[in-house]
Amino acid sequence: MKISLRSIKGVEEGLGLKQFWNWLQKKLEKLKKRVIKPRGRKALDDLLQCSSPGHSYRVREVSGTRADAEAEFRRIAAPGTIAPHPNPKLAATGGLEGRVPGGGRIYFRPYSTSGPPTLDIHEVHGYEQIKEIKFT
């Protein structure tokens, strides 16, 4: 796609370079939200790549909210396998379970004993050493 400077709204409105740059960044942020994100095992790989070590070698941490944790869960779990969490207390607060494509299970807990929302990873080949991903 070819774009001329005249077709860019910011230039037509006579914005200075700084204002144009801010306008462009806002447009790019909106575009990034519309980009298709990977699903399944690739989504888990990407999430773990941007995580940092937690309080033990089996725990990883990422920055995020409960909504972020649930969104990541839904990206990783195979869509037809998502069900309420097997623990009734967690199910009542929105906890979920699902299958990871290629094998293994994933659980979303809206809260954990230590506080933050957590994804529990079970029997996922290649990630046997990872037990939890905490959203802090």
Side-chain angles (χ1 to χ4, degrees):
M1 177 167 82
K2 193 172 182 180
I3 300 175
S4 73
L5 280 179
R6 291 176 193 244
S7 69
I8 298 175
K9 183 180 177 185
V11 173
E12 288 175 357
E13 293 176 357
L15 295 177
L17 186 57
K18 186 174 181 178
Q19 291 90 358
F20 175 71
W21 181 250
N22 290 336
W23 173 84
L24 185 58
Q25 284 181 316
K26 287 178 187 174
K27 292 291 183 186
L28 289 173
E29 283 302 315
K30 287 181 183 177
L31 183 60
K32 280 196 314 190
K33 290 178 182 176
R34 292 181 8 201
V35 173
I36 297 172
K37 295 182 179 183
R39 299 192 60 81
R41 179 61 188 260
K42 176 71 172 124
L44 178 59
D45 294 343
D46 290 352
L47 179 62
L48 288 169
Q49 280 183 356
C50 70
S51 69
S52 57
H55 66 276
S56 84
Y57 73 97
R58 299 195 70 164
V59 176
R60 303 295 294 177
E61 292 182 355
V62 296
S63 179
T65 64
R66 174 187 167 148
D68 296 328
E70 184 173 349
E72 290 296 333
F73 167 85
R74 290 184 181 282
R75 284 182 48 217
I76 296 166
T81 68
I82 297 173
H85 198 285
N87 178 324
K89 275 184 159 177
L90 291 169
T93 59
L96 300 167
E97 73 170 325
R99 296 268 176 206
V100 177
R105 295 170 289 141
I106 185 168
Y107 298 90
F108 164 65
R109 290 187 285 145
Y111 62 89
S112 61
T113 305
S114 60
T118 301
L119 298 182
D120 296 314
I121 308 297
H122 293 272
E123 302 164 356
V124 176
H125 180 69
Y127 290 115
E128 293 84 2
Q129 76 284 5
I130 304 294
K131 183 180 175 192
E132 299 176 347
I133 303 170
K134 296 193 172 284
F135 287 73
T136 58

